[in-house]
Amino acid sequence: MLKKRIIPALLLKDGRMVKGKNFSQFRDVGNPVTAARVYNAQKADELVFLDICPTRESRQVVCHIIEEAACECFMPLTVGGGISSCEDIKDFLDIGADKVAINSAAVRNPELIREGAEMFGDQCIVVSVDYKTRSDGTRRVYIDSGKTEVDLDPWEHIQRCTALGAGEIMLTSIDHEGMMQGYDMDFIAMVSGMIDVPLIANGGAGRLEDFKQVLAETRASAVAASSIFHFTDQSPIKTRFFLSNNGVNVRV
Amino acid sequence: MIAIIDYGMGNKHSVYNALKYIAVDSIITRDAGEISRAERIILPGVGAFGAAMENLRQFGLEDILHEEVIVKGKPFLGICLGMQLLAETGTEKGLFKGLGWIAGDVVKLQPAGTGFKLPHVGWNDIELVRDVGLFKGLKKEKAFYYVHSYAMRPADENDLVATGNYGVDFTAAVLKNNIFATQFHPEKSQKNGLTVLENFVDWRV
């Protein structure tokens, strides 16, 4: 049986690891390579690195972080932030990333998904979808690390991305992100029940029960989280024991 | 020295990093001389079957590998796509001829039932069909990391040494003489994966 995955997400800004609430109020939470080492020791299933302020300079720093992490962390590494061409994808795969997360370019240039999937295989193309829910209950996609609203429904966007060859979808509710009050269950349940590729649910974990809820009640293949690992004494290792004891199929 | 074959398909550096971590010298190469001098050969790979075979031929690697592995009998490890290429035929995006070292073909996973998303991505247990030295020292939970939509079907069941299950049983590892190959990624499977790589390095055919 395929196991559900626990994926710490490391947000990067100017070479440091940061964490915010609803994609703002970022604070420094340490050195990303050190954190990756710790997560490796705690048997995380994968790691996701996201550069939230991608620039030409930050790209070099992120590459360096991935290179260092890849020397010691023998698990899948996903990297995202400012990826807009097949050359970008190749650069990251060449230095040790296994997958890339495409966010803004999936809206501005969806063909990149098809090109990337054809060139490198769909297994390494993760499309990261950030969205907010409006007061009338409709949802809108956001890009540029949550700074730009797009007149696009996330479910419509996800369908287009999977049709183009996205190998996985990482879904983040900006409203829930960093609030540690649980995941956006309804939408995760809906999307994970409809798509044919794995869904990584992200944004909102504050308690171990939140992981359990997503993994037991929806068809999400994985949970991503960061605040719970930065700001509480929970770790991937404690998470997997809790989940395993509660009947969720995880690595122990 | 281990030669990690560079044919433009996938995560050769991850394999290099894992070998370095267990203190084994390796070289990423497509050079005939370097491959010839290596004691062992690893064929990694992520991507599509047809494109991979085309690259192997274009770089002259099909003949070089045949000489080193089949004629000279060097210990060989194929990983993921590098395992699938050993079959006679691949069926991913067309029908393609493989290296043909292991009788059989490569077909898309067809899990029975609902909820089995493809690609099959993540950690899954293996079941040993035969207890071979290459799997000694694994943890009780024999979980490894996979990323694939296709799997090999060996024609000779004697070649099969481990299976996985994802709504359907599939080939997780094959072993034939000096040829060992895994569908999972030992270089991405933390402790269990490093153990398999260490076993390969120590393997006396």
Side-chain angles (χ1 to χ4, degrees):
Chain A
M1 269 285 281
L2 184 65
K3 294 158 199 294
K4 303 281 188 175
R5 289 172 280 156
I6 301 156
I7 308 177
L10 293 81
L11 305 184
L12 309 175
K13 190 169 185 245
D14 305 326
R16 295 288 292 176
M17 191 166 65
V18 297
K19 184 61 209 184
K21 289 180 179 177
N22 311 131
F23 284 26
S24 59
Q25 304 171 52
F26 289 103
R27 53 173 159 145
D28 191 306
V29 288
N31 178 308
V33 176
T34 309
R37 240 175 240 145
V38 171
Y39 289 137
N40 186 51
Q42 293 172 339
K43 287 179 56 178
D45 293 313
E46 293 185 33
L47 294 176
V48 175
F49 297 81
L50 298 173
D51 184 359
I52 58 164
C53 280
T55 61
R56 188 173 301 201
E57 293 73 36
S58 76
R59 171 65 57 88
Q60 289 183 343
V61 180
V62 172
C63 282
H64 190 65
I65 291 168
I66 302 297
E67 268 180 316
E68 278 201 57
C71 287
E72 309 180 40
C73 301
F74 301 110
M75 63 176 131
L77 307 176
T78 300
V79 57
I83 290 171
S84 57
S85 68
C86 281
E87 288 72 46
D88 290 343
I89 299 173
K90 185 172 186 303
D91 287 349
F92 280 123
L93 296 182
D94 278 351
I95 56 158
D98 299 281
K99 316 181 204 180
V100 292
I102 300 175
N103 176 290
S104 305
V107 171
R108 295 203 171 100
N109 174 26
E111 276 301 308
L112 178 62
I113 299 168
R114 189 201 305 277
E115 290 165 16
E118 277 174 10
M119 200 170 292
F120 309 105
D122 54 10
Q123 79 292 330
C124 71
I125 307 296
V126 180
V127 173
S128 157
V129 178
D130 300 333
Y131 67 95
K132 282 188 192 178
T133 306
R134 299 192 290 197
S135 53
D136 65 359
T138 58
R139 301 180 181 88
R140 281 294 171 270
V141 170
Y142 279 70
I143 56 173
D144 301 327
S145 302
K147 289 193 263 301
T148 310
E149 183 183 325
V150 185
D151 187 22
L152 177 62
D153 174 74
W155 172 232
E156 202 178 302
H157 181 47
I158 289 165
Q159 287 174 286
R160 184 169 66 182
C161 293
T162 53
L164 285 167
E168 288 182 87
I169 299 291
M170 182 160 114
L171 186 63
T172 306
S173 163
I174 298 174
D175 304 310
H176 291 72
E177 207 273 340
M179 301 310 287
M180 303 176 71
Q181 298 291 318
Y183 289 88
D184 186 4
M185 286 297 296
D186 291 346
F187 195 50
I188 292 167
M190 185 213 128
V191 174
S192 64
M194 306 272 278
I195 59 174
D196 293 327
V197 298
L199 180 83
I200 302 165
N202 183 37
R207 304 169 310 149
L208 297 183
E209 286 78 5
D210 297 331
F211 292 132
K212 182 196 153 199
Q213 195 184 19
V214 170
L215 295 177
E217 296 175 22
T218 79
R219 289 193 166 176
S221 302
V223 281
S226 47
S227 295
I228 185 170
F229 298 135
H230 295 320
F231 302 136
T232 78
D233 66 351
Q234 305 301 357
S235 66
I237 214 155
K238 285 187 181 178
T239 304
R240 70 178 70 255
F241 278 117
F242 173 84
L243 291 173
S244 177
N245 288 334
N246 282 277
V248 178
N249 181 26
V250 289
R251 238 171 13 123
V252 291
Chain B
M1 176 69 74
I2 294 184
I4 300 167
I5 306 298
D6 177 9
Y7 62 116
M9 301 299 286
N11 64 341
K12 48 199 188 272
H13 285 283
S14 303
V15 178
Y16 175 85
N17 286 339
L19 290 173
K20 191 172 167 198
Y21 190 81
I22 58 171
V24 175
D25 285 335
S26 65
I27 184 168
I28 298 170
T29 183
R30 64 175 69 123
D31 177 79
E34 284 176 338
I35 298 171
S36 167
R37 283 190 291 278
E39 290 137 24
R40 289 161 202 273
I41 294 171
I42 295 182
L43 185 64
V46 171
F49 194 103
M53 280 309 300
E54 194 180 305
N55 284 11
L56 281 181
R57 293 196 182 104
Q58 192 189 324
F59 295 132
L61 287 163
E62 189 177 17
D63 294 338
I64 295 169
L65 289 174
H66 185 270
E67 172 68 21
E68 299 299 323
V69 181
I70 303 298
V71 178
K72 292 190 194 164
K74 285 183 183 171
F76 172 91
L77 169 62
I79 298 173
C80 191
L81 180 61
M83 165 185 182
Q84 298 179 0
L85 297 175
L86 308 185
E88 292 161 306
T89 51
T91 58
E92 183 173 2
K93 293 167 187 159
L95 191 65
F96 299 95
K97 192 167 169 290
L99 294 170
W101 298 352
I102 304 268
D105 57 2
V106 176
V107 292
K108 192 161 193 173
L109 290 173
Q110 294 191 310
T114 55
F116 293 101
K117 300 167 188 297
L118 288 180
H120 171 226
V121 182
W123 297 80
N124 205 331
D125 295 325
I126 62 167
E127 186 158 337
L128 300 187
V129 178
R130 275 202 278 147
D131 202 3
V132 297
L134 288 154
F135 288 125
K136 71 169 190 273
L138 295 183
K139 296 162 63 138
K140 190 165 157 252
E141 183 186 39
K142 297 178 181 62
F144 290 88
Y145 187 80
Y146 291 89
V147 187
H148 64 126
S149 296
Y150 288 76
M152 188 197 274
R153 284 192 310 191
D156 182 348
E157 62 181 30
N158 290 318
D159 296 341
L160 183 70
V161 286
T163 60
N165 184 281
Y166 186 58
V168 59
D169 284 341
F170 64 86
T171 303
V174 291
L175 174 62
K176 183 182 179 184
N177 305 323
N178 57 317
I179 300 163
F180 176 52
T182 63
Q183 181 59 61
F184 54 80
H185 287 272
E187 78 284 8
K188 289 283 157 186
S189 297
Q190 294 183 339
K191 185 72 183 68
N192 273 343
L194 296 176
T195 300
V196 168
L197 289 175
E198 281 169 341
N199 291 341
F200 173 69
V201 170
D202 294 338
W203 186 28
R204 296 276 165 255
V205 176

